[in-house]
Amino acid sequence: MPGPPGLSATRAPGNPLLTPEDVAPSRPDFEVIGVFNPAVLVDDGETALLLRVAERPRDIPTEEVAAPVYDLAAGRIVVRRWRRGATGVRTDDPRAVIAGGETHLTSISHLRWARSRDGLQFQVEAQPALEAAGETDAFGVEDPRATRLGGEWWINYTAVSPWGIATAAAVTRDRRRLERRGIWFAPPNRDVTPFPEAIDGRYAALHRPMPEGLGAAAIWFASSADLGSWGGHRPVAGPRPGAWDGAKVGGGAPPFRVRDGWLALYHGVDAGARYAIGALLLAAREPWRVIARSREPVLAPEAPYEREGFFGNVVFTCGAAVAGDRVRVYYGAADTVVAAADLSLDAILGGLA
Amino acid sequence: MPGPPGLSATRAPGNPLLTPEDVAPSRPDFEVIGVFNPAVLVDDGETALLLRVAERPRDIPTEEVAAPVYDLAAGRIVVRRWRRGATGVRTDDPRAVIAGGETHLTSISHLRWARSRDGLQFQVEAQPALEAAGETDAFGVEDPRATRLGGEWWINYTAVSPWGIATAAAVTRDRRRLERRGIWFAPPNRDVTPFPEAIDGRYAALHRPMPEGLGAAAIWFASSADLGSWGGHRPVAGPRPGAWDGAKVGGGAPPFRVRDGWLALYHGVDAGARYAIGALLLAAREPWRVIARSREPVLAPEAPYEREGFFGNVVFTCGAAVAGDRVRVYYGAADTVVAAADLSLDAILGGLA
């Protein structure tokens, strides 16, 4: 029997590959507090990462609290400010401010390109590639995934707003210019990973609705004729109480084809809020059917940059580069930095049950 | 100025039109505890209601708690039983039992036809028309809406299961046999009301995702080329804090065409958990755009059968029959009985702002 597959992960010697210090803020009054959870696009000898960059307003007096938000009337991101302790202003959760019954977030994320020839040393672009620009992403855009379909890369990302957390699509041909294509799944949804080819004539994706009240955070399957409208919803996999993925699960890297079906790296959260990465083997023609699943994580938080940060004890992947037996996973660590680790495909498959 | 439009509602003299006593249980070991929230299908001089019928197991010893659930392996609805107070068994909420970390519901709903020639006196069929039959409706089917599209009636209903609360479709040509057409919107979603015609070449519906954490229970728009896959999601209307619809809103009767756009009866919940009915006027070609909205409810719980029951202080419509100025609203009252009230279309429109 193989040992725990988590042991076979080889972290990049340069980890973390990118930190907030490597990223210029998008405007002088903002500071970067996290760079993490990148989409991965490999083509023409280039590895492009589409980074999630989280920023917050800087130089806010300690007696105030600030929240960046896209203002529809102004047509740009503005910074709203409130005095802490004022009537109707609640700041118990440092990530949010509730004012006049409305919730705002104290940071905002955009997407930004970084590029590399060797897949390990990245140049980060100076400006955002996609940022809050409307009613349904007024609180920012997060956690992109990229899937190549024909000559296009389809990006799906999280669009956060007072309407909730939806998932939206964008497309790029040149791995530079992103064209928005609207919402794919209404709130509350996240973690959308399209498959890289049509299956029985329909495009396919995993998605992660977030039931309220009844039901747990589980991975679902959906299909589409046109990459615009989605149907054929079927549940795929839920949390396994007591296990490493006992509290929540959600898609990670877009699925890729292996001999016996589709391999989907996913994230699992345990009862202690530890985020780890495992794998699902899905049936080739019925990708909503789970053939096998990682007994233990293939990657779990161990390194200091994974255990400590804005949200510690988190490894979270949105994309991988697969070459032969090597699965190079790019991942966000502690919601603060970007890291990479090489896994053996054989070891991942050997750890399924 | 017209008076409060709620005052113009004329309740049917025979209200409640249907009570649990009017409905035979679907099996001898069940009792009917509610008949409410019917879809409305008017054709050939017949008013058909597709009722939600809620049942629970009868003759359960007081020291036990029981939950009906569709068992996939057995291929039928079975009754699970637990001893109250046993380790890992929680029964604080009478509507649910949590056992071994899993939530079950203590009642289960199916859909059943009732028919009338005059729209007021109904004959209820002896058997369910649609009931729990799979993994994603194992806890029952609820709250149907019916929309005529060409020669077919499209029914959308709530499918409840351990995977959450999804919405599913069924179709009927004869207002008798229902053919399932799969899930339209993944959990958590409810209150799907399709429009009765395609708009700019696409079918359309309102739906009501239920955001968790960020966002409120708001009405959204979506469109479809094939009544199978849905896209084009746009937010339509959220709750208005402090108003009669300040806590939650959701679709009610399927929208119908009026001179200035689409009129959609919807439900609003206030801070005191009172469910009332109001109207949205939506733009004809852009039905995600709200032109006007009821200042006050067009129907609110007042009658004893609306104020008291399984869940009191609730009027909730899933369908109406419109003829000239008369809007006959069929509605569930207190999650227990079916009632009807006639409203004046002019009065509804006069109460919009």
Side-chain angles (χ1 to χ4, degrees):
Chain A
M1 249 181 80
L7 298 183
S8 70
T10 305
R11 286 169 173 78
N15 271 358
L17 302 183
L18 291 170
T19 72
E21 290 70 40
D22 298 318
V23 182
S26 65
R27 43 193 266 186
D29 59 334
F30 279 10
E31 63 184 336
V32 174
I33 59 170
V35 50
F36 52 116
N37 301 0
V40 181
L41 301 80
V42 180
D43 198 11
D44 288 337
E46 178 194 80
T47 301
L49 300 182
L50 189 59
L51 308 165
R52 170 178 174 188
V53 176
E55 297 178 296
R56 72 177 169 207
R58 53 184 293 171
D59 302 329
I60 303 295
T62 51
E63 65 271 23
E64 290 187 22
V65 60
V69 57
Y70 182 81
D71 185 299
L72 209 59
R76 60 186 169 80
I77 295 167
V78 302
V79 176
R80 303 226 166 105
R81 291 163 75 154
W82 300 265
R83 187 160 289 270
R84 290 181 191 274
T87 309
V89 175
R90 289 178 47 195
T91 55
D92 340 326
D93 180 343
R95 296 170 301 176
V97 49
I98 301 175
E102 288 186 8
T103 300
H104 288 77
L105 304 184
T106 53
S107 63
I108 191 167
S109 290
H110 64 259
L111 308 184
R112 196 183 302 202
W113 292 111
R115 303 178 194 284
S116 171
R117 301 310 298 185
D118 67 1
L120 293 171
Q121 299 183 73
F122 286 87
Q123 299 295 320
V124 181
E125 293 200 346
Q127 288 297 320
L130 192 99
E131 59 185 336
E135 188 181 19
T136 52
D137 61 10
F139 291 163
V141 293
E142 306 178 352
D143 301 351
R145 274 85 171 181
T147 301
R148 191 177 188 159
L149 281 160
E152 294 174 328
W153 289 90
W154 281 78
I155 314 287
N156 197 281
Y157 59 92
T158 304
V160 186
S161 82
W163 294 99
I165 297 168
T167 70
V171 72
T172 182
R173 290 181 164 272
D174 58 7
R175 303 191 308 287
R176 276 166 179 76
R177 203 170 47 88
L178 290 165
E179 191 182 297
R180 281 181 159 88
R181 293 291 176 91
I183 291 175
W184 273 5
F185 300 104
N189 207 301
R190 283 181 186 273
D191 305 323
V192 173
T193 59
F195 289 71
E197 60 188 67
I199 299 163
D200 281 341
R202 282 177 70 86
Y203 299 104
L206 303 178
H207 63 112
R208 212 293 300 278
M210 185 67 196
E212 179 271 345
L214 195 67
I219 297 170
W220 285 61
F221 173 88
S223 64
S224 174
D226 58 6
L227 292 169
S229 294
W230 291 85
H233 297 276
R234 291 164 180 266
V236 174
R240 297 180 291 192
W244 66 272
D245 52 2
K248 292 185 192 183
V249 296
F256 56 91
R257 196 71 170 83
V258 294
R259 201 193 60 191
D260 296 324
W262 297 97
L263 196 75
L265 297 177
Y266 72 102
H267 72 264
V269 186
D270 72 10
R274 183 189 76 159
Y275 280 69
I277 299 168
L280 293 170
L281 181 63
L282 304 172
R285 297 285 294 274
E286 298 178 331
W288 53 86
R289 200 159 58 74
V290 177
I291 299 173
R293 190 165 168 177
S294 293
R295 285 186 299 266
E296 298 295 335
V298 300
L299 190 72
E302 290 169 14
Y305 53 88
E306 296 163 349
R307 298 174 67 96
E308 283 157 43
F310 183 77
F311 193 110
N313 247 359
V314 170
V315 293
F316 189 96
T317 185
C318 292
V322 183
D325 183 60
R326 192 192 75 184
V327 179
R328 176 164 289 172
V329 176
Y330 293 91
Y331 60 99
D335 278 10
T336 306
V337 299
V338 172
D342 288 346
L343 306 173
S344 151
L345 181 56
D346 278 348
I348 295 173
L349 295 172
L352 302 176
Chain B
M1 246 181 82
L7 298 183
S8 72
T10 305
R11 285 169 174 79
N15 271 357
L17 302 183
L18 291 170
T19 72
E21 291 69 40
D22 298 318
V23 182
S26 66
R27 43 192 267 186
D29 59 334
F30 279 9
E31 62 184 337
V32 174
I33 59 170
V35 50
F36 51 116
N37 301 0
V40 181
L41 303 81
V42 179
D43 199 12
D44 288 337
E46 178 193 81
T47 301
L49 299 182
L50 189 58
L51 309 164
R52 171 178 173 188
V53 176
E55 298 180 296
R56 70 177 170 207
R58 51 184 292 170
D59 302 329
I60 303 295
T62 50
E63 66 269 23
E64 290 187 21
V65 59
V69 56
Y70 182 81
D71 184 302
L72 210 59
R76 59 186 170 81
I77 295 167
V78 302
V79 176
R80 303 229 166 103
R81 293 164 72 154
W82 299 267
R83 186 159 289 271
R84 288 180 192 275
T87 309
V89 175
R90 289 178 47 194
T91 55
D92 339 326
D93 181 343
R95 296 170 302 178
V97 48
I98 301 175
E102 288 186 9
T103 300
H104 288 77
L105 304 184
T106 53
S107 63
I108 190 167
S109 291
H110 65 259
L111 307 185
R112 196 184 301 203
W113 292 112
R115 301 178 196 284
S116 171
R117 300 311 296 185
D118 67 0
L120 293 171
Q121 298 183 73
F122 285 87
Q123 299 294 321
V124 181
E125 293 201 347
Q127 288 297 320
L130 191 97
E131 60 185 336
E135 188 181 18
T136 52
D137 62 10
F139 291 163
V141 292
E142 305 179 352
D143 300 352
R145 273 86 172 181
T147 300
R148 191 177 189 158
L149 281 161
E152 294 174 328
W153 288 91
W154 281 78
I155 315 286
N156 198 280
Y157 58 93
T158 304
V160 186
S161 81
W163 294 99
I165 297 168
T167 71
V171 73
T172 182
R173 292 181 161 271
D174 57 8
R175 304 190 308 287
R176 276 166 178 76
R177 204 171 47 89
L178 290 164
E179 191 182 296
R180 280 180 160 86
R181 293 292 175 91
I183 291 175
W184 274 4
F185 300 104
N189 208 301
R190 284 182 186 273
D191 306 322
V192 173
T193 59
F195 287 72
E197 59 188 68
I199 300 164
D200 280 342
R202 282 177 71 86
Y203 300 105
L206 303 178
H207 63 110
R208 211 293 299 279
M210 184 68 196
E212 181 270 345
L214 195 65
I219 297 171
W220 284 61
F221 173 88
S223 64
S224 174
D226 59 5
L227 292 169
S229 294
W230 291 85
H233 297 277
R234 290 166 181 264
V236 175
R240 296 179 291 190
W244 67 272
D245 53 1
K248 291 185 193 182
V249 295
F256 56 92
R257 196 70 170 80
V258 293
R259 201 193 59 188
D260 295 326
W262 297 97
L263 196 76
L265 297 177
Y266 72 102
H267 72 265
V269 187
D270 71 10
R274 183 189 77 157
Y275 280 68
I277 299 167
L280 292 170
L281 181 63
L282 304 172
R285 297 284 295 273
E286 297 178 333
W288 52 86
R289 200 159 57 76
V290 177
I291 299 174
R293 190 165 168 177
S294 294
R295 285 185 298 264
E296 297 296 333
V298 299
L299 190 72
E302 291 170 14
Y305 53 87
E306 295 163 349
R307 297 173 67 95
E308 283 158 42
F310 184 77
F311 194 109
N313 246 0
V314 170
V315 293
F316 189 95
T317 185
C318 292
V322 183
D325 184 61
R326 192 191 76 184
V327 180
R328 176 164 288 172
V329 176
Y330 293 91
Y331 60 99
D335 278 12
T336 306
V337 298
V338 172
D342 288 347
L343 306 174
S344 150
L345 181 54
D346 277 347
I348 295 173
L349 295 172
L352 301 176

